[in-house]
Amino acid sequence: MMKAGLLCLAGLVATAIAQPHRHHRHEAKRDVVVDVVTNTVVAYATAPGAVVYVDGNGNPVSTSYADEAAPTTASAAYSAPAVESTSSVYTSAPASTAWSSSYVAPAPSSTTEAPAPSSYVAPDTSSSAAASTSSASSGSANSGYTISYSPYNSDNSCKDQDQVTSDFAMITGYDMVRLYGTDCNQTVTVLNAASAKGMKLFAGVYDITQVASEIQTIIDAANGNWDSFHTVSVGNEGVNNGLYSVSDVVSAIGTARSALQAAGYTGSVVTVDTFVAMIANPELCEASDYAAANCHAFFDGGVAAEDAGKFVLGQAQRVSQACGGKDTMITESGWPSQGDTNGMAVPSSENQINAINSLRAAFSSNIVLFSAFNDLWKQNNAGTYGAEQYWGIMGNAPA
């Protein structure tokens, strides 16, 4: 599932957070720190007092910003969904048990404009519920939370329509779902299940070398009706992981946008990469309709679960600044319920609850929570802290 991907480009050094996909494995994080460099100059982002940790080969492992003030976020005014009416705060469901939510997602609008604000506004603590950010008040299509979903069984086989529909019967309180690719006929099966619940689709092209065929698959799935499509992403962390050059990705975005527009699509087209890759390579967000960045506080190692929202909000602000104030969405963020400790980051069911509540308090929209269910088809390695399969907010999938 998730690993820590590390990137050092254009003089920028920070902790890169890598994300999941069926064909995506994360870069192993090195665990031997032998040197500390201070006052590093960071391109496109201000980082006074930066402390950069490197391994025995001089490769950057992580960066902290000891002298930097923490971004302002709301206190715990947010009232999270209840689970079977047993708690007033968000609680994750045990594996294979039913999960229900009292949260009702706002009705998706028919527009497809880019969803995120150029600057973030913390929720108003005077309210008993999460307050709207500037983008929510502007009537954007994504006026609530988004959840990521992968349609694979534990043996890596594809889920069929009935299984996907069964999974979506459990997904409540979200107005959009994010996919990563087009394999397993997932654009069709998820579109059917999501649209039946009034949810928008954040569709995805995973392999940009196959962008033409994957885009055609999405076009075929839409069948001329784009009402339920909000965004189409082209690639997921390809630059961060060294799979593609920036120019490769920019070219693929252009190819995808041209084909989609010719088919009548008027929604957003973006590429998704880590917040570090976006900051180091603003061409990625310049070619996108809004900046789409993945960011997981867990992989930083210096952030506790209850501070996940504050950390991710700060990185979203950095991305927006690096992209010239462009609208920004955090396209992945979550916390594992099981696994090994990473510094201050401790996987547990309780900490997953704390992290999700923290993220919801910091963002009332413009964030994709990762992930709907545990991804038991994934494999762990040294960089995943034994947590690769256990990011599911609702435990194991019913299907």
Side-chain angles (χ1 to χ4, degrees):
M1 174 211 112
M2 319 179 74
K3 306 174 186 173
L6 302 177
L7 178 75
C8 180
L9 291 175
L12 182 144
V13 182
T15 303
I17 310 302
Q19 327 311 331
H21 186 273
R22 177 176 188 161
H23 310 295
H24 183 170
R25 295 293 182 264
H26 302 82
E27 297 300 319
K29 179 177 279 188
R30 296 186 170 101
D31 57 5
V32 180
V33 176
V34 298
D35 197 8
V36 176
V37 181
T38 58
N39 299 320
T40 298
V41 177
V42 178
Y44 308 113
T46 302
V51 179
V52 181
Y53 298 88
V54 299
D55 63 15
N57 299 317
N59 298 312
V61 174
S62 65
T63 303
S64 62
Y65 303 91
D67 300 330
E68 181 178 86
T72 302
T73 59
S75 60
Y78 166 73
S79 179
V83 178
E84 300 183 10
S85 303
T86 60
S87 174
S88 61
V89 297
Y90 175 84
T91 56
S92 61
S96 302
T97 61
W99 185 91
S100 62
S101 171
S102 61
Y103 173 82
V104 178
S109 82
S110 60
T111 62
T112 53
E113 63 191 278
S118 57
S119 60
Y120 288 85
V121 179
D124 183 356
T125 58
S126 65
S127 171
S128 60
S132 298
T133 62
S134 59
S135 68
S137 61
S138 67
S140 66
N142 182 31
S143 55
Y145 300 107
T146 302
I147 191 79
S148 63
Y149 174 78
S150 297
Y152 312 119
N153 293 305
S154 59
D155 62 358
N156 272 279
S157 62
C158 300
K159 289 188 175 182
D160 60 23
Q161 184 66 72
D162 288 344
Q163 289 177 297
V164 172
T165 300
S166 177
D167 285 348
F168 270 75
M170 294 269 291
I171 299 176
T172 303
Y174 299 92
D175 65 350
M176 186 156 66
V177 58
R178 182 190 172 193
L179 300 179
Y180 293 84
T182 61
D183 59 321
C184 288
N185 197 35
Q186 62 181 285
T187 311
V188 170
T189 58
V190 174
L191 177 62
N192 289 338
S195 60
K197 302 193 70 171
M199 297 171 68
K200 293 281 188 177
L201 185 63
F202 187 124
V205 169
Y206 182 72
D207 183 358
I208 72 168
T209 68
Q210 304 298 318
V211 63
S213 62
E214 289 207 42
I215 287 295
Q216 187 58 52
T217 298
I218 294 172
I219 291 172
D220 292 343
N223 195 28
N225 183 357
W226 295 102
D227 290 349
S228 293
F229 286 79
H230 181 281
T231 295
V232 176
S233 63
V234 181
N236 185 67
E237 298 188 359
V239 171
N240 184 82
N241 293 336
L243 298 175
Y244 316 118
S245 68
V246 172
S247 61
D248 288 339
V249 175
V250 170
S251 177
I253 294 171
T255 298
R257 183 179 285 115
S258 295
L260 288 165
Q261 289 178 347
Y265 175 72
T266 58
S268 298
V269 180
V270 303
T271 190
V272 174
D273 220 303
T274 62
F275 69 92
V276 174
M278 284 288 172
I279 292 170
N281 301 281
E283 302 95 328
L284 295 174
C285 52
E286 290 168 2
S288 301
D289 291 322
Y290 59 87
N294 293 345
C295 181
H296 290 276
F298 175 79
F299 287 113
D300 180 77
V303 181
E306 59 268 24
D307 295 322
K310 181 167 60 177
F311 174 85
V312 174
L313 179 64
Q315 305 316 317
Q317 292 168 335
R318 289 174 179 271
V319 171
S320 183
Q321 180 182 13
C323 294
K326 198 159 192 174
D327 291 349
T328 299
M329 175 185 279
I330 294 299
T331 40
E332 243 189 48
S333 198
W335 198 271
S337 61
Q338 297 182 46
D340 301 326
T341 296
N342 175 28
M344 294 177 62
V346 181
S348 72
S349 295
E350 179 181 2
N351 282 339
Q352 184 183 63
I353 294 166
N354 292 336
I356 296 301
N357 276 330
S358 178
L359 290 166
R360 284 177 176 262
F363 295 82
S364 63
S365 62
N366 310 316
I367 189 166
V368 181
L369 296 175
F370 181 85
S371 178
F373 303 107
N374 288 330
D375 291 315
L376 302 180
W377 50 273
K378 293 181 178 178
Q379 300 295 319
N380 278 298
N381 62 40
T384 61
Y385 298 95
E388 187 77 354
Q389 299 98 338
Y390 303 113
W391 294 71
I393 295 172
M394 288 167 271
N396 291 343

PDB file of all heavy atoms in Angstrom, residues 339-371:
ATOM      1  N   GLY A 339       0.428  -1.838  12.426  1.00  0.00           N
ATOM      2  CA  GLY A 339       1.753  -1.714  11.848  1.00  0.00           C
ATOM      3  C   GLY A 339       2.794  -1.363  12.888  1.00  0.00           C
ATOM      4  O   GLY A 339       2.542  -1.420  14.100  1.00  0.00           O
ATOM      5  N   ASP A 340       3.973  -0.997  12.430  1.00  0.00           N
ATOM      6  CA  ASP A 340       5.091  -0.665  13.300  1.00  0.00           C
ATOM      7  C   ASP A 340       5.193   0.836  13.499  1.00  0.00           C
ATOM      8  O   ASP A 340       4.833   1.630  12.629  1.00  0.00           O
ATOM      9  CB  ASP A 340       6.402  -1.187  12.695  1.00  0.00           C
ATOM     10  CG  ASP A 340       6.380  -2.688  12.482  1.00  0.00           C
ATOM     11  OD1 ASP A 340       5.755  -3.390  13.303  1.00  0.00           O
ATOM     12  OD2 ASP A 340       6.967  -3.147  11.480  1.00  0.00           O
ATOM     13  N   THR A 341       5.728   1.230  14.635  1.00  0.00           N
ATOM     14  CA  THR A 341       5.888   2.644  14.967  1.00  0.00           C
ATOM     15  C   THR A 341       6.933   3.303  14.074  1.00  0.00           C
ATOM     16  O   THR A 341       7.991   2.728  13.803  1.00  0.00           O
ATOM     17  CB  THR A 341       6.289   2.797  16.436  1.00  0.00           C
ATOM     18  OG1 THR A 341       5.227   2.301  17.256  1.00  0.00           O
ATOM     19  CG2 THR A 341       6.569   4.246  16.796  1.00  0.00           C
ATOM     20  N   ASN A 342       6.651   4.512  13.640  1.00  0.00           N
ATOM     21  CA  ASN A 342       7.586   5.334  12.868  1.00  0.00           C
ATOM     22  C   ASN A 342       7.829   6.615  13.648  1.00  0.00           C
ATOM     23  O   ASN A 342       7.136   7.618  13.454  1.00  0.00           O
ATOM     24  CB  ASN A 342       7.020   5.645  11.482  1.00  0.00           C
ATOM     25  CG  ASN A 342       7.917   6.599  10.686  1.00  0.00           C
ATOM     26  OD1 ASN A 342       9.132   6.638  10.894  1.00  0.00           O
ATOM     27  ND2 ASN A 342       7.316   7.362   9.783  1.00  0.00           N
ATOM     28  N   GLY A 343       8.804   6.588  14.564  1.00  0.00           N
ATOM     29  CA  GLY A 343       9.066   7.758  15.385  1.00  0.00           C
ATOM     30  C   GLY A 343       7.864   8.067  16.267  1.00  0.00           C
ATOM     31  O   GLY A 343       7.406   7.239  17.055  1.00  0.00           O
ATOM     32  N   MET A 344       7.324   9.279  16.107  1.00  0.00           N
ATOM     33  CA  MET A 344       6.152   9.695  16.881  1.00  0.00           C
ATOM     34  C   MET A 344       4.856   9.143  16.303  1.00  0.00           C
ATOM     35  O   MET A 344       3.799   9.262  16.929  1.00  0.00           O
ATOM     36  CB  MET A 344       6.090  11.220  16.936  1.00  0.00           C
ATOM     37  CG  MET A 344       7.212  11.885  17.708  1.00  0.00           C
ATOM     38  SD  MET A 344       7.100  13.700  17.645  1.00  0.00           S
ATOM     39  CE  MET A 344       5.524  13.977  18.464  1.00  0.00           C
ATOM     40  N   ALA A 345       4.933   8.570  15.119  1.00  0.00           N
ATOM     41  CA  ALA A 345       3.735   8.060  14.443  1.00  0.00           C
ATOM     42  C   ALA A 345       3.501   6.603  14.838  1.00  0.00           C
ATOM     43  O   ALA A 345       4.287   5.726  14.488  1.00  0.00           O
ATOM     44  CB  ALA A 345       3.897   8.187  12.937  1.00  0.00           C
ATOM     45  N   VAL A 346       2.418   6.363  15.551  1.00  0.00           N
ATOM     46  CA  VAL A 346       2.117   5.031  16.071  1.00  0.00           C
ATOM     47  C   VAL A 346       0.821   4.515  15.441  1.00  0.00           C
ATOM     48  O   VAL A 346      -0.240   5.117  15.617  1.00  0.00           O
ATOM     49  CB  VAL A 346       1.966   5.056  17.604  1.00  0.00           C
ATOM     50  CG1 VAL A 346       1.671   3.651  18.134  1.00  0.00           C
ATOM     51  CG2 VAL A 346       3.214   5.638  18.255  1.00  0.00           C
ATOM     52  N   PRO A 347       0.882   3.403  14.699  1.00  0.00           N
ATOM     53  CA  PRO A 347      -0.344   2.842  14.128  1.00  0.00           C
ATOM     54  C   PRO A 347      -1.203   2.190  15.213  1.00  0.00           C
ATOM     55  O   PRO A 347      -0.699   1.417  16.021  1.00  0.00           O
ATOM     56  CB  PRO A 347       0.161   1.780  13.142  1.00  0.00           C
ATOM     57  CG  PRO A 347       1.638   2.031  12.992  1.00  0.00           C
ATOM     58  CD  PRO A 347       2.077   2.653  14.279  1.00  0.00           C
ATOM     59  N   SER A 348      -2.473   2.499  15.215  1.00  0.00           N
ATOM     60  CA  SER A 348      -3.434   1.849  16.100  1.00  0.00           C
ATOM     61  C   SER A 348      -4.817   2.313  15.700  1.00  0.00           C
ATOM     62  O   SER A 348      -4.968   3.340  15.030  1.00  0.00           O
ATOM     63  CB  SER A 348      -3.174   2.207  17.572  1.00  0.00           C
ATOM     64  OG  SER A 348      -3.528   3.552  17.842  1.00  0.00           O
ATOM     65  N   SER A 349      -5.830   1.569  16.119  1.00  0.00           N
ATOM     66  CA  SER A 349      -7.204   1.977  15.823  1.00  0.00           C
ATOM     67  C   SER A 349      -7.519   3.323  16.451  1.00  0.00           C
ATOM     68  O   SER A 349      -8.149   4.186  15.835  1.00  0.00           O
ATOM     69  CB  SER A 349      -8.180   0.917  16.329  1.00  0.00           C
ATOM     70  OG  SER A 349      -8.020  -0.296  15.635  1.00  0.00           O
ATOM     71  N   GLU A 350      -7.070   3.519  17.689  1.00  0.00           N
ATOM     72  CA  GLU A 350      -7.322   4.788  18.368  1.00  0.00           C
ATOM     73  C   GLU A 350      -6.639   5.946  17.646  1.00  0.00           C
ATOM     74  O   GLU A 350      -7.230   7.017  17.462  1.00  0.00           O
ATOM     75  CB  GLU A 350      -6.837   4.720  19.812  1.00  0.00           C
ATOM     76  CG  GLU A 350      -7.052   6.014  20.589  1.00  0.00           C
ATOM     77  CD  GLU A 350      -6.548   5.933  22.019  1.00  0.00           C
ATOM     78  OE1 GLU A 350      -6.002   4.877  22.400  1.00  0.00           O
ATOM     79  OE2 GLU A 350      -6.700   6.933  22.754  1.00  0.00           O
ATOM     80  N   ASN A 351      -5.389   5.736  17.228  1.00  0.00           N
ATOM     81  CA  ASN A 351      -4.673   6.806  16.540  1.00  0.00           C
ATOM     82  C   ASN A 351      -5.236   7.069  15.149  1.00  0.00           C
ATOM     83  O   ASN A 351      -5.184   8.198  14.656  1.00  0.00           O
ATOM     84  CB  ASN A 351      -3.180   6.484  16.472  1.00  0.00           C
ATOM     85  CG  ASN A 351      -2.482   6.758  17.782  1.00  0.00           C
ATOM     86  OD1 ASN A 351      -2.966   7.527  18.609  1.00  0.00           O
ATOM     87  ND2 ASN A 351      -1.339   6.122  17.995  1.00  0.00           N
ATOM     88  N   GLN A 352      -5.755   6.033  14.497  1.00  0.00           N
ATOM     89  CA  GLN A 352      -6.421   6.273  13.219  1.00  0.00           C
ATOM     90  C   GLN A 352      -7.625   7.187  13.426  1.00  0.00           C
ATOM     91  O   GLN A 352      -7.858   8.122  12.646  1.00  0.00           O
ATOM     92  CB  GLN A 352      -6.855   4.957  12.582  1.00  0.00           C
ATOM     93  CG  GLN A 352      -7.481   5.137  11.196  1.00  0.00           C
ATOM     94  CD  GLN A 352      -7.962   3.833  10.611  1.00  0.00           C
ATOM     95  OE1 GLN A 352      -8.860   3.197  11.169  1.00  0.00           O
ATOM     96  NE2 GLN A 352      -7.366   3.421   9.495  1.00  0.00           N
ATOM     97  N   ILE A 353      -8.389   6.934  14.478  1.00  0.00           N
ATOM     98  CA  ILE A 353      -9.526   7.791  14.806  1.00  0.00           C
ATOM     99  C   ILE A 353      -9.062   9.215  15.039  1.00  0.00           C
ATOM    100  O   ILE A 353      -9.632  10.180  14.511  1.00  0.00           O
ATOM    101  CB  ILE A 353     -10.251   7.250  16.059  1.00  0.00           C
ATOM    102  CG1 ILE A 353     -10.895   5.905  15.762  1.00  0.00           C
ATOM    103  CG2 ILE A 353     -11.297   8.248  16.563  1.00  0.00           C
ATOM    104  CD1 ILE A 353     -11.322   5.157  17.009  1.00  0.00           C
ATOM    105  N   ASN A 354      -8.004   9.373  15.849  1.00  0.00           N
ATOM    106  CA  ASN A 354      -7.496  10.706  16.162  1.00  0.00           C
ATOM    107  C   ASN A 354      -7.012  11.430  14.910  1.00  0.00           C
ATOM    108  O   ASN A 354      -7.249  12.630  14.737  1.00  0.00           O
ATOM    109  CB  ASN A 354      -6.357  10.612  17.175  1.00  0.00           C
ATOM    110  CG  ASN A 354      -6.827  10.143  18.543  1.00  0.00           C
ATOM    111  OD1 ASN A 354      -7.997  10.298  18.892  1.00  0.00           O
ATOM    112  ND2 ASN A 354      -5.915   9.576  19.335  1.00  0.00           N
ATOM    113  N   ALA A 355      -6.314  10.704  14.039  1.00  0.00           N
ATOM    114  CA  ALA A 355      -5.777  11.325  12.828  1.00  0.00           C
ATOM    115  C   ALA A 355      -6.892  11.743  11.881  1.00  0.00           C
ATOM    116  O   ALA A 355      -6.860  12.851  11.315  1.00  0.00           O
ATOM    117  CB  ALA A 355      -4.821  10.360  12.128  1.00  0.00           C
ATOM    118  N   ILE A 356      -7.882  10.868  11.680  1.00  0.00           N
ATOM    119  CA  ILE A 356      -8.982  11.211  10.778  1.00  0.00           C
ATOM    120  C   ILE A 356      -9.761  12.398  11.327  1.00  0.00           C
ATOM    121  O   ILE A 356     -10.141  13.314  10.587  1.00  0.00           O
ATOM    122  CB  ILE A 356      -9.903   9.998  10.556  1.00  0.00           C
ATOM    123  CG1 ILE A 356      -9.136   8.871   9.855  1.00  0.00           C
ATOM    124  CG2 ILE A 356     -11.126  10.397   9.727  1.00  0.00           C
ATOM    125  CD1 ILE A 356      -8.560   9.219   8.508  1.00  0.00           C
ATOM    126  N   ASN A 357     -10.012  12.424  12.631  1.00  0.00           N
ATOM    127  CA  ASN A 357     -10.688  13.573  13.224  1.00  0.00           C
ATOM    128  C   ASN A 357      -9.868  14.846  13.047  1.00  0.00           C
ATOM    129  O   ASN A 357     -10.417  15.921  12.788  1.00  0.00           O
ATOM    130  CB  ASN A 357     -10.951  13.329  14.705  1.00  0.00           C
ATOM    131  CG  ASN A 357     -12.220  12.531  14.949  1.00  0.00           C
ATOM    132  OD1 ASN A 357     -13.163  12.604  14.170  1.00  0.00           O
ATOM    133  ND2 ASN A 357     -12.236  11.760  16.021  1.00  0.00           N
ATOM    134  N   SER A 358      -8.555  14.721  13.186  1.00  0.00           N
ATOM    135  CA  SER A 358      -7.682  15.883  13.014  1.00  0.00           C
ATOM    136  C   SER A 358      -7.719  16.399  11.580  1.00  0.00           C
ATOM    137  O   SER A 358      -7.769  17.609  11.336  1.00  0.00           O
ATOM    138  CB  SER A 358      -6.245  15.504  13.410  1.00  0.00           C
ATOM    139  OG  SER A 358      -5.359  16.580  13.217  1.00  0.00           O
ATOM    140  N   LEU A 359      -7.697  15.485  10.623  1.00  0.00           N
ATOM    141  CA  LEU A 359      -7.775  15.883   9.219  1.00  0.00           C
ATOM    142  C   LEU A 359      -9.118  16.531   8.903  1.00  0.00           C
ATOM    143  O   LEU A 359      -9.189  17.539   8.189  1.00  0.00           O
ATOM    144  CB  LEU A 359      -7.557  14.661   8.318  1.00  0.00           C
ATOM    145  CG  LEU A 359      -6.145  14.086   8.304  1.00  0.00           C
ATOM    146  CD1 LEU A 359      -6.138  12.691   7.668  1.00  0.00           C
ATOM    147  CD2 LEU A 359      -5.176  15.015   7.555  1.00  0.00           C
ATOM    148  N   ARG A 360     -10.194  15.978   9.447  1.00  0.00           N
ATOM    149  CA  ARG A 360     -11.518  16.544   9.206  1.00  0.00           C
ATOM    150  C   ARG A 360     -11.664  17.918   9.852  1.00  0.00           C
ATOM    151  O   ARG A 360     -12.380  18.781   9.344  1.00  0.00           O
ATOM    152  CB  ARG A 360     -12.586  15.587   9.751  1.00  0.00           C
ATOM    153  CG  ARG A 360     -12.835  14.352   8.881  1.00  0.00           C
ATOM    154  CD  ARG A 360     -13.852  13.436   9.551  1.00  0.00           C
ATOM    155  NE  ARG A 360     -14.197  12.286   8.729  1.00  0.00           N
ATOM    156  CZ  ARG A 360     -15.280  12.211   7.949  1.00  0.00           C
ATOM    157  NH1 ARG A 360     -16.104  13.234   7.874  1.00  0.00           N
ATOM    158  NH2 ARG A 360     -15.540  11.134   7.241  1.00  0.00           N
ATOM    159  N   ALA A 361     -11.005  18.120  10.989  1.00  0.00           N
ATOM    160  CA  ALA A 361     -11.068  19.421  11.644  1.00  0.00           C
ATOM    161  C   ALA A 361     -10.293  20.483  10.865  1.00  0.00           C
ATOM    162  O   ALA A 361     -10.674  21.649  10.843  1.00  0.00           O
ATOM    163  CB  ALA A 361     -10.523  19.312  13.066  1.00  0.00           C
ATOM    164  N   ALA A 362      -9.194  20.068  10.240  1.00  0.00           N
ATOM    165  CA  ALA A 362      -8.369  21.022   9.487  1.00  0.00           C
ATOM    166  C   ALA A 362      -8.931  21.315   8.108  1.00  0.00           C
ATOM    167  O   ALA A 362      -8.698  22.376   7.545  1.00  0.00           O
ATOM    168  CB  ALA A 362      -6.940  20.481   9.362  1.00  0.00           C
ATOM    169  N   PHE A 363      -9.647  20.345   7.528  1.00  0.00           N
ATOM    170  CA  PHE A 363     -10.211  20.492   6.187  1.00  0.00           C
ATOM    171  C   PHE A 363     -11.699  20.166   6.236  1.00  0.00           C
ATOM    172  O   PHE A 363     -12.074  19.077   6.662  1.00  0.00           O
ATOM    173  CB  PHE A 363      -9.562  19.511   5.195  1.00  0.00           C
ATOM    174  CG  PHE A 363      -8.109  19.744   4.932  1.00  0.00           C
ATOM    175  CD1 PHE A 363      -7.142  19.267   5.810  1.00  0.00           C
ATOM    176  CD2 PHE A 363      -7.693  20.402   3.781  1.00  0.00           C
ATOM    177  CE1 PHE A 363      -5.793  19.460   5.557  1.00  0.00           C
ATOM    178  CE2 PHE A 363      -6.348  20.588   3.520  1.00  0.00           C
ATOM    179  CZ  PHE A 363      -5.397  20.123   4.412  1.00  0.00           C
ATOM    180  N   SER A 364     -12.537  21.069   5.756  1.00  0.00           N
ATOM    181  CA  SER A 364     -13.947  20.716   5.610  1.00  0.00           C
ATOM    182  C   SER A 364     -14.239  20.291   4.185  1.00  0.00           C
ATOM    183  O   SER A 364     -15.356  19.888   3.859  1.00  0.00           O
ATOM    184  CB  SER A 364     -14.852  21.890   6.000  1.00  0.00           C
ATOM    185  OG  SER A 364     -14.642  22.987   5.148  1.00  0.00           O
ATOM    186  N   SER A 365     -13.246  20.357   3.318  1.00  0.00           N
ATOM    187  CA  SER A 365     -13.350  19.884   1.934  1.00  0.00           C
ATOM    188  C   SER A 365     -11.938  19.809   1.375  1.00  0.00           C
ATOM    189  O   SER A 365     -10.959  20.046   2.093  1.00  0.00           O
ATOM    190  CB  SER A 365     -14.216  20.827   1.081  1.00  0.00           C
ATOM    191  OG  SER A 365     -13.633  22.116   1.010  1.00  0.00           O
ATOM    192  N   ASN A 366     -11.822  19.468   0.093  1.00  0.00           N
ATOM    193  CA  ASN A 366     -10.535  19.501  -0.605  1.00  0.00           C
ATOM    194  C   ASN A 366      -9.506  18.517  -0.045  1.00  0.00           C
ATOM    195  O   ASN A 366      -8.309  18.788  -0.038  1.00  0.00           O
ATOM    196  CB  ASN A 366      -9.955  20.915  -0.620  1.00  0.00           C
ATOM    197  CG  ASN A 366     -10.965  21.928  -1.090  1.00  0.00           C
ATOM    198  OD1 ASN A 366     -11.678  21.700  -2.069  1.00  0.00           O
ATOM    199  ND2 ASN A 366     -11.077  23.032  -0.385  1.00  0.00           N
ATOM    200  N   ILE A 367     -10.011  17.376   0.418  1.00  0.00           N
ATOM    201  CA  ILE A 367      -9.110  16.336   0.912  1.00  0.00           C
ATOM    202  C   ILE A 367      -9.713  14.973   0.590  1.00  0.00           C
ATOM    203  O   ILE A 367     -10.930  14.776   0.715  1.00  0.00           O
ATOM    204  CB  ILE A 367      -8.851  16.473   2.426  1.00  0.00           C
ATOM    205  CG1 ILE A 367      -7.733  15.511   2.866  1.00  0.00           C
ATOM    206  CG2 ILE A 367     -10.116  16.272   3.246  1.00  0.00           C
ATOM    207  CD1 ILE A 367      -7.187  15.803   4.258  1.00  0.00           C
ATOM    208  N   VAL A 368      -8.861  14.054   0.140  1.00  0.00           N
ATOM    209  CA  VAL A 368      -9.259  12.675  -0.116  1.00  0.00           C
ATOM    210  C   VAL A 368      -8.753  11.830   1.045  1.00  0.00           C
ATOM    211  O   VAL A 368      -7.539  11.697   1.235  1.00  0.00           O
ATOM    212  CB  VAL A 368      -8.694  12.153  -1.448  1.00  0.00           C
ATOM    213  CG1 VAL A 368      -9.141  10.710  -1.691  1.00  0.00           C
ATOM    214  CG2 VAL A 368      -9.117  13.053  -2.612  1.00  0.00           C
ATOM    215  N   LEU A 369      -9.649  11.287   1.826  1.00  0.00           N
ATOM    216  CA  LEU A 369      -9.247  10.448   2.947  1.00  0.00           C
ATOM    217  C   LEU A 369      -8.911   9.055   2.436  1.00  0.00           C
ATOM    218  O   LEU A 369      -9.625   8.482   1.620  1.00  0.00           O
ATOM    219  CB  LEU A 369     -10.359  10.395   3.985  1.00  0.00           C
ATOM    220  CG  LEU A 369     -10.679  11.745   4.640  1.00  0.00           C
ATOM    221  CD1 LEU A 369     -11.874  11.619   5.569  1.00  0.00           C
ATOM    222  CD2 LEU A 369      -9.478  12.301   5.389  1.00  0.00           C
ATOM    223  N   PHE A 370      -7.807   8.525   2.941  1.00  0.00           N
ATOM    224  CA  PHE A 370      -7.285   7.243   2.484  1.00  0.00           C
ATOM    225  C   PHE A 370      -7.350   6.244   3.632  1.00  0.00           C
ATOM    226  O   PHE A 370      -6.797   6.494   4.694  1.00  0.00           O
ATOM    227  CB  PHE A 370      -5.836   7.413   2.020  1.00  0.00           C
ATOM    228  CG  PHE A 370      -5.231   6.158   1.509  1.00  0.00           C
ATOM    229  CD1 PHE A 370      -5.420   5.791   0.195  1.00  0.00           C
ATOM    230  CD2 PHE A 370      -4.500   5.332   2.340  1.00  0.00           C
ATOM    231  CE1 PHE A 370      -4.883   4.611  -0.286  1.00  0.00           C
ATOM    232  CE2 PHE A 370      -3.953   4.152   1.863  1.00  0.00           C
ATOM    233  CZ  PHE A 370      -4.151   3.790   0.546  1.00  0.00           C
ATOM    234  N   SER A 371      -8.007   5.142   3.462  1.00  0.00           N
ATOM    235  CA  SER A 371      -8.762   4.703   2.310  1.00  0.00           C
ATOM    236  C   SER A 371     -10.071   4.139   2.833  1.00  0.00           C
ATOM    237  O   SER A 371     -10.221   3.953   4.036  1.00  0.00           O
ATOM    238  CB  SER A 371      -7.972   3.639   1.563  1.00  0.00           C
ATOM    239  OG  SER A 371      -8.656   3.138   0.446  1.00  0.00           O
TER     240      SER A 371
END
